[in-house]
Amino acid sequence: MAETIREMIIPGTYIEVRAEGLIGVGGISTGNLGVVGTASRGPVNQVVVLGSYAEALETFGSYDAWPSENQDKALTLVRTLEQLFKGGASTVYAARIAEVGDGSVASMGWTVKVGSNNAFVLTASSPGTWANAVTAAVETSGDPASSATLTLTLGRLKETFTGANAEQLLAAVNEGSRLVRGSGLVTAQKGNVPTT
């Protein structure tokens, strides 16, 4: 039975307030959002499910400055994701597109060496301009060298991997790096300690 409150405001005019009118409406789901755009890094032509703007930055990197008239077009994906999450989005399906085949968005690569001989190759985890800012450095410890430490730096992000030889160092990189993937281990160098 609903409770009713009546009050006479002016003669012959009543306002009636019913208890069921005081119940608030819950949140209304608007479904999932999908967005496609360009970004400096991240998987190409693959859908990534994101739950926050922080995840978007981690996956696709930050956006660039607005270009002048004579520069390339601005990167659009992360700008769009920022606005979606500011507007209350909770789940976004995002896909990065790029023309990888024409060479305009290439994957960066670095060669890890033992002396002057190649040991293995590091390649950026995704193609794009972001990898131009990654630095790779190898340091050895012990005399003679008994292990090598590879440090990868991208802005404030720093990844460090250690191995007693090239094979172990490569395995550590492939197991834990978000920035690069290693491949092409030279069989003759796998038991040696990388130097550069």
Side-chain angles (χ1 to χ4, degrees), residues 101-167:
D102 68 355
S104 64
V105 182
S107 288
M108 293 297 295
W110 304 266
T111 302
V112 176
K113 298 184 174 209
V114 174
S116 61
N117 299 314
N118 293 348
F120 58 88
V121 176
L122 299 173
T123 307
S125 58
S126 67
T129 56
W130 71 274
N132 294 333
V134 174
T135 59
V138 176
E139 292 181 9
T140 58
S141 61
D143 188 21
S146 58
S147 68
T149 301
L150 171 67
T151 303
L152 301 168
T153 307
L154 176 63
R156 292 184 293 173
L157 176 63
K158 187 182 225 181
E159 296 181 344
T160 304
F161 308 96
T162 302
N165 55 45
E167 185 175 32

Side-chain angles (χ1 to χ4, degrees), residues 2-24:
E3 181 181 329
T4 303
I5 302 170
R6 288 186 175 198
E7 182 180 345
M8 185 172 76
I9 302 299
I10 54 175
T13 305
Y14 290 89
I15 293 179
E16 185 175 315
V17 178
R18 296 180 181 221
E20 61 267 16
L22 302 175
I23 298 172

Side-chain angles (χ1 to χ4, degrees), residues 35-61:
V35 63
V36 176
T38 56
S40 64
R41 73 171 190 238
V44 178
N45 299 327
Q46 295 177 11
V47 175
V48 178
V49 181
L50 302 169
S52 68
Y53 183 59
E55 286 180 32
L57 289 173
E58 184 177 319
T59 305
F60 298 109

